[in-house]
mmCIF file of all heavy atoms in Angstrom:
data_model
loop_
_atom_site.group_PDB
_atom_site.id
_atom_site.type_symbol
_atom_site.label_atom_id
_atom_site.label_comp_id
_atom_site.label_asym_id
_atom_site.label_seq_id
_atom_site.Cartn_x
_atom_site.Cartn_y
_atom_site.Cartn_z
ATOM 1 N N ARG A 870 -16.943 -7.651 6.875
ATOM 2 C CA ARG A 870 -15.572 -8.107 6.692
ATOM 3 C C ARG A 870 -14.721 -6.828 6.499
ATOM 4 O O ARG A 870 -14.510 -6.377 5.375
ATOM 5 C CB ARG A 870 -15.448 -8.996 5.492
ATOM 6 C CG ARG A 870 -14.067 -9.576 5.304
ATOM 7 C CD ARG A 870 -14.058 -10.626 4.232
ATOM 8 N NE ARG A 870 -12.668 -11.110 4.056
ATOM 9 C CZ ARG A 870 -12.374 -12.025 3.215
ATOM 10 N NH1 ARG A 870 -13.292 -12.574 2.439
ATOM 11 N NH2 ARG A 870 -11.142 -12.466 3.114
ATOM 12 N N PRO A 871 -14.222 -6.270 7.590
ATOM 13 C CA PRO A 871 -13.444 -5.016 7.458
ATOM 14 C C PRO A 871 -12.180 -5.224 6.624
ATOM 15 O O PRO A 871 -11.438 -6.128 6.860
ATOM 16 C CB PRO A 871 -13.072 -4.669 8.936
ATOM 17 C CG PRO A 871 -13.987 -5.512 9.786
ATOM 18 C CD PRO A 871 -14.350 -6.701 9.006
ATOM 19 N N PRO A 872 -12.042 -4.359 5.618
ATOM 20 C CA PRO A 872 -10.817 -4.491 4.748
ATOM 21 C C PRO A 872 -9.562 -3.900 5.409
ATOM 22 O O PRO A 872 -9.655 -3.039 6.262
ATOM 23 C CB PRO A 872 -11.219 -3.755 3.528
ATOM 24 C CG PRO A 872 -12.157 -2.659 4.033
ATOM 25 C CD PRO A 872 -12.895 -3.296 5.172
ATOM 26 N N ASP A 873 -8.439 -4.432 4.999
ATOM 27 C CA ASP A 873 -7.135 -3.812 5.384
ATOM 28 C C ASP A 873 -6.810 -2.636 4.483
ATOM 29 O O ASP A 873 -6.158 -1.710 4.886
ATOM 30 C CB ASP A 873 -6.010 -4.864 5.287
ATOM 31 C CG ASP A 873 -6.236 -6.026 6.212
ATOM 32 O OD1 ASP A 873 -6.350 -5.786 7.440
ATOM 33 O OD2 ASP A 873 -6.337 -7.174 5.721
ATOM 34 N N LEU A 874 -7.301 -2.745 3.270
ATOM 35 C CA LEU A 874 -7.010 -1.684 2.274
ATOM 36 C C LEU A 874 -8.247 -1.468 1.425
ATOM 37 O O LEU A 874 -8.924 -2.397 0.993
ATOM 38 C CB LEU A 874 -5.873 -2.091 1.329
ATOM 39 C CG LEU A 874 -5.582 -1.207 0.086
ATOM 40 C CD1 LEU A 874 -5.129 0.182 0.570
ATOM 41 C CD2 LEU A 874 -4.530 -1.871 -0.773
ATOM 42 N N VAL A 875 -8.596 -0.166 1.235
ATOM 43 C CA VAL A 875 -9.684 0.193 0.315
ATOM 44 C C VAL A 875 -9.077 0.994 -0.865
ATOM 45 O O VAL A 875 -8.341 1.942 -0.609
ATOM 46 C CB VAL A 875 -10.708 1.127 1.047
ATOM 47 C CG1 VAL A 875 -11.784 1.600 0.050
ATOM 48 C CG2 VAL A 875 -11.343 0.366 2.213
ATOM 49 N N VAL A 876 -9.297 0.480 -2.052
ATOM 50 C CA VAL A 876 -8.857 1.125 -3.273
ATOM 51 C C VAL A 876 -10.143 1.697 -3.899
ATOM 52 O O VAL A 876 -11.020 0.880 -4.289
ATOM 53 C CB VAL A 876 -8.128 0.191 -4.265
ATOM 54 C CG1 VAL A 876 -7.792 0.857 -5.508
ATOM 55 C CG2 VAL A 876 -6.946 -0.468 -3.563
ATOM 56 N N CYS A 877 -10.280 3.017 -3.921
ATOM 57 C CA CYS A 877 -11.566 3.484 -4.410
ATOM 58 C C CYS A 877 -11.426 4.744 -5.286
ATOM 59 O O CYS A 877 -10.469 5.486 -5.198
ATOM 60 C CB CYS A 877 -12.548 3.718 -3.283
ATOM 61 S SG CYS A 877 -12.465 5.306 -2.463
ATOM 62 N N ASP A 878 -12.446 4.907 -6.091
ATOM 63 C CA ASP A 878 -12.567 6.069 -6.973
ATOM 64 C C ASP A 878 -13.045 7.247 -6.137
ATOM 65 O O ASP A 878 -13.784 7.090 -5.196
ATOM 66 C CB ASP A 878 -13.559 5.748 -8.105
ATOM 67 C CG ASP A 878 -13.588 6.788 -9.184
ATOM 68 O OD1 ASP A 878 -12.635 7.610 -9.267
ATOM 69 O OD2 ASP A 878 -14.572 6.808 -9.956
ATOM 70 N N TYR A 879 -12.596 8.433 -6.516
ATOM 71 C CA TYR A 879 -13.075 9.598 -5.784
ATOM 72 C C TYR A 879 -14.418 10.041 -6.242
ATOM 73 O O TYR A 879 -15.296 10.311 -5.446
ATOM 74 C CB TYR A 879 -12.028 10.770 -5.980
ATOM 75 C CG TYR A 879 -12.546 12.131 -5.491
ATOM 76 C CD1 TYR A 879 -12.892 12.260 -4.156
ATOM 77 C CD2 TYR A 879 -12.734 13.174 -6.350
ATOM 78 C CE1 TYR A 879 -13.400 13.480 -3.684
ATOM 79 C CE2 TYR A 879 -13.199 14.407 -5.926
ATOM 80 C CZ TYR A 879 -13.563 14.533 -4.584
ATOM 81 O OH TYR A 879 -14.042 15.755 -4.155
ATOM 82 N N ARG A 880 -14.634 10.096 -7.590
ATOM 83 C CA ARG A 880 -15.915 10.554 -8.142
ATOM 84 C C ARG A 880 -16.811 9.394 -8.398
ATOM 85 O O ARG A 880 -16.644 8.634 -9.350
ATOM 86 C CB ARG A 880 -15.684 11.351 -9.368
ATOM 87 C CG ARG A 880 -14.883 12.642 -9.119
ATOM 88 C CD ARG A 880 -15.434 13.762 -9.964
ATOM 89 N NE ARG A 880 -14.666 14.947 -9.706
ATOM 90 C CZ ARG A 880 -15.210 16.012 -9.083
ATOM 91 N NH1 ARG A 880 -16.456 15.940 -8.683
ATOM 92 N NH2 ARG A 880 -14.486 17.050 -8.857
ATOM 93 N N MET A 881 -17.829 9.226 -7.562
ATOM 94 C CA MET A 881 -18.871 8.199 -7.731
ATOM 95 C C MET A 881 -20.213 8.809 -7.414
ATOM 96 O O MET A 881 -20.349 9.725 -6.568
ATOM 97 C CB MET A 881 -18.599 6.997 -6.777
ATOM 98 C CG MET A 881 -17.328 6.253 -7.049
ATOM 99 S SD MET A 881 -17.106 4.834 -5.962
ATOM 100 C CE MET A 881 -16.802 5.572 -4.377
ATOM 101 N N PRO A 882 -21.297 8.243 -7.946
ATOM 102 C CA PRO A 882 -22.642 8.744 -7.590
ATOM 103 C C PRO A 882 -22.935 8.415 -6.105
ATOM 104 O O PRO A 882 -22.372 7.496 -5.572
ATOM 105 C CB PRO A 882 -23.582 7.920 -8.491
ATOM 106 C CG PRO A 882 -22.722 7.291 -9.536
ATOM 107 C CD PRO A 882 -21.349 7.258 -8.972
ATOM 108 N N GLY A 883 -23.707 9.219 -5.486
ATOM 109 C CA GLY A 883 -23.990 9.060 -4.052
ATOM 110 C C GLY A 883 -22.825 9.558 -3.248
ATOM 111 O O GLY A 883 -22.311 10.616 -3.484
ATOM 112 N N LEU A 884 -22.322 8.773 -2.328
ATOM 113 C CA LEU A 884 -21.152 9.122 -1.530
ATOM 114 C C LEU A 884 -19.922 9.024 -2.423
ATOM 115 O O LEU A 884 -19.735 8.026 -3.174
ATOM 116 C CB LEU A 884 -20.968 8.164 -0.378
ATOM 117 C CG LEU A 884 -22.028 8.151 0.710
ATOM 118 C CD1 LEU A 884 -21.708 7.027 1.737
ATOM 119 C CD2 LEU A 884 -22.095 9.470 1.410
ATOM 120 N N ASN A 885 -19.040 10.043 -2.352
ATOM 121 C CA ASN A 885 -17.800 10.010 -3.150
ATOM 122 C C ASN A 885 -16.752 9.275 -2.280
ATOM 123 O O ASN A 885 -16.957 8.914 -1.136
ATOM 124 C CB ASN A 885 -17.384 11.393 -3.575
ATOM 125 C CG ASN A 885 -16.979 12.263 -2.458
ATOM 126 O OD1 ASN A 885 -16.411 11.882 -1.440
ATOM 127 N ND2 ASN A 885 -17.244 13.566 -2.612
ATOM 128 N N GLY A 886 -15.570 9.084 -2.861
ATOM 129 C CA GLY A 886 -14.498 8.389 -2.198
ATOM 130 C C GLY A 886 -14.069 9.041 -0.874
ATOM 131 O O GLY A 886 -13.743 8.363 0.089
ATOM 132 N N LEU A 887 -14.085 10.345 -0.818
ATOM 133 C CA LEU A 887 -13.701 11.042 0.405
ATOM 134 C C LEU A 887 -14.724 10.833 1.517
ATOM 135 O O LEU A 887 -14.396 10.666 2.670
ATOM 136 C CB LEU A 887 -13.506 12.568 0.094
ATOM 137 C CG LEU A 887 -12.718 13.373 1.080
ATOM 138 C CD1 LEU A 887 -11.382 12.760 1.335
ATOM 139 C CD2 LEU A 887 -12.602 14.794 0.557
ATOM 140 N N GLU A 888 -16.008 10.845 1.153
ATOM 141 C CA GLU A 888 -17.060 10.597 2.137
ATOM 142 C C GLU A 888 -16.992 9.125 2.631
ATOM 143 O O GLU A 888 -17.210 8.878 3.799
ATOM 144 C CB GLU A 888 -18.412 10.902 1.509
ATOM 145 C CG GLU A 888 -18.616 12.396 1.277
ATOM 146 C CD GLU A 888 -19.788 12.696 0.314
ATOM 147 O OE1 GLU A 888 -20.086 11.868 -0.556
ATOM 148 O OE2 GLU A 888 -20.350 13.798 0.466
ATOM 149 N N LEU A 889 -16.621 8.199 1.718
ATOM 150 C CA LEU A 889 -16.394 6.797 2.151
ATOM 151 C C LEU A 889 -15.278 6.758 3.122
ATOM 152 O O LEU A 889 -15.362 6.118 4.199
ATOM 153 C CB LEU A 889 -16.148 5.952 0.937
ATOM 154 C CG LEU A 889 -15.756 4.478 1.210
ATOM 155 C CD1 LEU A 889 -16.832 3.738 1.975
ATOM 156 C CD2 LEU A 889 -15.388 3.765 -0.097
ATOM 157 N N LEU A 890 -14.182 7.433 2.832
ATOM 158 C CA LEU A 890 -13.017 7.449 3.731
ATOM 159 C C LEU A 890 -13.413 7.992 5.061
ATOM 160 O O LEU A 890 -13.037 7.433 6.126
ATOM 161 C CB LEU A 890 -11.924 8.331 3.106
ATOM 162 C CG LEU A 890 -10.733 8.701 3.964
ATOM 163 C CD1 LEU A 890 -9.962 7.475 4.355
ATOM 164 C CD2 LEU A 890 -9.818 9.662 3.236
ATOM 165 N N SER A 891 -14.196 9.007 5.121
ATOM 166 C CA SER A 891 -14.673 9.597 6.362
ATOM 167 C C SER A 891 -15.506 8.606 7.149
ATOM 168 O O SER A 891 -15.365 8.466 8.390
ATOM 169 C CB SER A 891 -15.460 10.883 6.091
ATOM 170 O OG SER A 891 -15.980 11.355 7.287
ATOM 171 N N SER A 892 -16.379 7.879 6.469
ATOM 172 C CA SER A 892 -17.221 6.882 7.159
ATOM 173 C C SER A 892 -16.410 5.720 7.647
ATOM 174 O O SER A 892 -16.761 5.138 8.681
ATOM 175 C CB SER A 892 -18.309 6.372 6.188
ATOM 176 O OG SER A 892 -19.138 7.424 5.790
ATOM 177 N N LEU A 893 -15.360 5.342 6.971
ATOM 178 C CA LEU A 893 -14.506 4.234 7.369
ATOM 179 C C LEU A 893 -13.510 4.629 8.468
ATOM 180 O O LEU A 893 -12.889 3.742 9.095
ATOM 181 C CB LEU A 893 -13.758 3.642 6.202
ATOM 182 C CG LEU A 893 -14.589 2.907 5.187
ATOM 183 C CD1 LEU A 893 -13.751 2.525 3.944
ATOM 184 C CD2 LEU A 893 -15.219 1.673 5.792
ATOM 185 N N SER A 894 -13.303 5.910 8.722
ATOM 186 C CA SER A 894 -12.301 6.343 9.661
ATOM 187 C C SER A 894 -12.550 5.949 11.098
ATOM 188 O O SER A 894 -11.658 5.929 11.942
ATOM 189 C CB SER A 894 -12.075 7.857 9.539
ATOM 190 O OG SER A 894 -13.201 8.533 10.023
ATOM 191 N N ASP A 895 -13.830 5.568 11.417
ATOM 192 C CA ASP A 895 -14.164 5.166 12.760
ATOM 193 C C ASP A 895 -13.828 3.679 12.999
ATOM 194 O O ASP A 895 -13.855 3.235 14.119
ATOM 195 C CB ASP A 895 -15.657 5.397 13.056
ATOM 196 C CG ASP A 895 -15.988 6.875 13.043
ATOM 197 O OD1 ASP A 895 -15.095 7.712 13.298
ATOM 198 O OD2 ASP A 895 -17.174 7.210 12.763
ATOM 199 N N ALA A 896 -13.602 2.950 11.912
ATOM 200 C CA ALA A 896 -13.310 1.515 12.039
ATOM 201 C C ALA A 896 -12.014 1.295 12.771
ATOM 202 O O ALA A 896 -11.063 2.085 12.680
ATOM 203 C CB ALA A 896 -13.235 0.882 10.662
ATOM 204 N N GLU A 897 -11.909 0.214 13.522
ATOM 205 C CA GLU A 897 -10.683 -0.171 14.217
ATOM 206 C C GLU A 897 -10.226 -1.548 13.759
ATOM 207 O O GLU A 897 -10.977 -2.493 13.914
ATOM 208 C CB GLU A 897 -10.919 -0.199 15.762
ATOM 209 C CG GLU A 897 -10.630 1.063 16.470
ATOM 210 C CD GLU A 897 -9.260 1.664 16.203
ATOM 211 O OE1 GLU A 897 -8.254 0.951 16.226
ATOM 212 O OE2 GLU A 897 -9.207 2.879 15.974
ATOM 213 N N PRO A 898 -9.085 -1.690 13.266
ATOM 214 C CA PRO A 898 -8.202 -0.605 12.854
ATOM 215 C C PRO A 898 -8.678 0.057 11.563
ATOM 216 O O PRO A 898 -9.325 -0.608 10.747
ATOM 217 C CB PRO A 898 -6.857 -1.302 12.604
ATOM 218 C CG PRO A 898 -7.187 -2.717 12.260
ATOM 219 C CD PRO A 898 -8.482 -2.998 12.967
ATOM 220 N N ARG A 899 -8.325 1.318 11.381
ATOM 221 C CA ARG A 899 -8.742 2.086 10.215
ATOM 222 C C ARG A 899 -8.042 1.494 8.981
ATOM 223 O O ARG A 899 -6.826 1.301 8.986
ATOM 224 C CB ARG A 899 -8.421 3.531 10.347
ATOM 225 C CG ARG A 899 -8.905 4.403 9.222
ATOM 226 C CD ARG A 899 -8.597 5.835 9.409
ATOM 227 N NE ARG A 899 -7.291 6.238 8.940
ATOM 228 C CZ ARG A 899 -7.000 6.358 7.627
ATOM 229 N NH1 ARG A 899 -7.854 6.124 6.733
ATOM 230 N NH2 ARG A 899 -5.779 6.774 7.251
ATOM 231 N N PRO A 900 -8.796 1.159 7.929
ATOM 232 C CA PRO A 900 -8.109 0.596 6.745
ATOM 233 C C PRO A 900 -7.309 1.683 6.015
ATOM 234 O O PRO A 900 -7.586 2.861 6.095
ATOM 235 C CB PRO A 900 -9.324 0.172 5.852
ATOM 236 C CG PRO A 900 -10.485 0.990 6.315
ATOM 237 C CD PRO A 900 -10.231 1.282 7.757
ATOM 238 N N ALA A 901 -6.237 1.183 5.358
ATOM 239 C CA ALA A 901 -5.457 2.057 4.502
ATOM 240 C C ALA A 901 -6.309 2.379 3.302
ATOM 241 O O ALA A 901 -7.169 1.609 2.921
ATOM 242 C CB ALA A 901 -4.153 1.367 4.127
ATOM 243 N N VAL A 902 -6.080 3.537 2.661
ATOM 244 C CA VAL A 902 -6.868 3.955 1.515
ATOM 245 C C VAL A 902 -5.994 4.411 0.382
ATOM 246 O O VAL A 902 -5.020 5.156 0.592
ATOM 247 C CB VAL A 902 -7.821 5.129 1.877
ATOM 248 C CG1 VAL A 902 -8.576 5.633 0.689
ATOM 249 C CG2 VAL A 902 -8.796 4.680 2.963
ATOM 250 N N VAL A 903 -6.260 3.861 -0.786
ATOM 251 C CA VAL A 903 -5.650 4.323 -2.034
ATOM 252 C C VAL A 903 -6.817 4.943 -2.867
ATOM 253 O O VAL A 903 -7.817 4.289 -3.100
ATOM 254 C CB VAL A 903 -5.008 3.172 -2.826
ATOM 255 C CG1 VAL A 903 -4.547 3.635 -4.190
ATOM 256 C CG2 VAL A 903 -3.822 2.594 -2.035
ATOM 257 N N LEU A 904 -6.649 6.204 -3.208
ATOM 258 C CA LEU A 904 -7.738 6.932 -3.872
ATOM 259 C C LEU A 904 -7.365 7.151 -5.338
ATOM 260 O O LEU A 904 -6.238 7.670 -5.640
ATOM 261 C CB LEU A 904 -7.952 8.284 -3.170
ATOM 262 C CG LEU A 904 -9.331 8.904 -3.186
ATOM 263 C CD1 LEU A 904 -10.435 7.937 -2.773
ATOM 264 C CD2 LEU A 904 -9.345 10.141 -2.335
ATOM 265 N N MET A 905 -8.291 6.817 -6.261
ATOM 266 C CA MET A 905 -8.105 7.003 -7.673
ATOM 267 C C MET A 905 -8.849 8.286 -8.015
ATOM 268 O O MET A 905 -10.053 8.414 -7.742
ATOM 269 C CB MET A 905 -8.621 5.827 -8.489
ATOM 270 C CG MET A 905 -7.916 4.512 -8.146
ATOM 271 S SD MET A 905 -8.567 3.121 -9.100
ATOM 272 C CE MET A 905 -10.159 2.895 -8.333
ATOM 273 N N ALA A 906 -8.135 9.259 -8.647
ATOM 274 C CA ALA A 906 -8.805 10.550 -8.956
ATOM 275 C C ALA A 906 -8.042 11.244 -10.083
ATOM 276 O O ALA A 906 -6.915 10.865 -10.399
ATOM 277 C CB ALA A 906 -8.758 11.446 -7.695
ATOM 278 N N SER A 907 -8.711 12.216 -10.638
ATOM 279 C CA SER A 907 -8.056 13.014 -11.688
ATOM 280 C C SER A 907 -7.002 13.921 -11.085
ATOM 281 O O SER A 907 -6.995 14.220 -9.921
ATOM 282 C CB SER A 907 -9.105 13.864 -12.417
ATOM 283 O OG SER A 907 -9.554 14.902 -11.586
#
Side-chain angles (χ1 to χ4, degrees):
R870 186 173 178 178
D873 298 301
L874 173 64
V875 176
V876 178
C877 88
D878 189 17
Y879 170 60
R880 295 217 179 252
M881 295 183 290
L884 294 175
N885 66 34
L887 198 54
E888 292 165 330
L889 173 61
L890 169 63
S891 176
S892 296
L893 290 172
S894 66
D895 295 334
E897 267 309 313
R899 186 179 86 73
V902 176
V903 172
L904 209 51
M905 299 179 289
S907 69

